[in-house]
Amino acid sequence: MKKIEHVGIAVNDLEKANEVYRKILGVSHYKIEEVYSEGVLTSFFKTGDSKVELLQATHNQGPISKFVEQRGEGIHHIAFLVTDIHKEIIRLKKEGFDIIDDSPKKGADNKLVAFVHPKSCNGVLIELCQEIKNDE
C-alpha cells in the first residue's frame, strides 16, 4: 500500500455535492466520469496528495444506490494506491481477507480497482487501485 489515494463519498445529487465540496476544499472538481459497469457517476477533487471521489448512482440496481438507500449519504470507501494490484489481491487473500473482486476491473480516473469486503475490515469497504498503464 503506497498511500490513501482517495476517499469515496456516496451522494444523492452530484451537482449539489460538487458545490459543497468546492466550498469545503477551495477547489473545483477536475473530472466527472461515468463508470457504466458500476452504475455510478463520479466526480473527483484533488486536495494535497489525495483525492475525494463523489459517487452518485445512475440507476437503482448498483452498489451506490443500495448503499444510499440503506445508510444514506456518507463515506462509502477508502481507496489505497498499490503498485501491483494482482499481487496485493493474492497477499490479502493469504492474510484471510474476503476479496470481492478476484480480478481487478477498470474503474474511474484511469485505475484498475478491486474491493475488499467490509466484513473483514472492521466495517470499512477498502478499494485497491492501480494506475492503468498504456499496455494494460
Side-chain angles (χ1 to χ4, degrees), residues 66-97:
K66 292 174 185 172
F67 179 90
V68 171
E69 182 181 303
Q70 293 172 354
R71 299 182 184 181
E73 295 180 293
I75 294 177
H76 179 260
H77 66 270
I78 298 175
F80 291 93
L81 185 64
V82 299
T83 304
D84 186 327
I85 196 166
H86 299 279
K87 286 182 181 177
E88 205 57 31
I89 290 169
I90 292 167
R91 182 186 76 79
L92 291 173
K93 280 183 177 182
K94 286 180 181 176
E95 291 286 349
F97 290 93

Side-chain angles (χ1 to χ4, degrees), residues 39-88:
V40 66
L41 190 61
T42 66
S43 178
F44 284 90
F45 289 80
K46 179 89 169 144
T47 176
D49 196 31
S50 297
K51 300 175 201 159
V52 172
E53 176 189 32
L54 303 179
L55 305 139
Q56 175 190 306
T58 57
H59 58 74
N60 61 5
Q61 300 301 314
I64 297 303
S65 176
K66 292 174 185 172
F67 179 90
V68 171
E69 182 181 303
Q70 293 172 354
R71 299 182 184 181
E73 295 180 293
I75 294 177
H76 179 260
H77 66 270
I78 298 175
F80 291 93
L81 185 64
V82 299
T83 304
D84 186 327
I85 196 166
H86 299 279
K87 286 182 181 177
E88 205 57 31

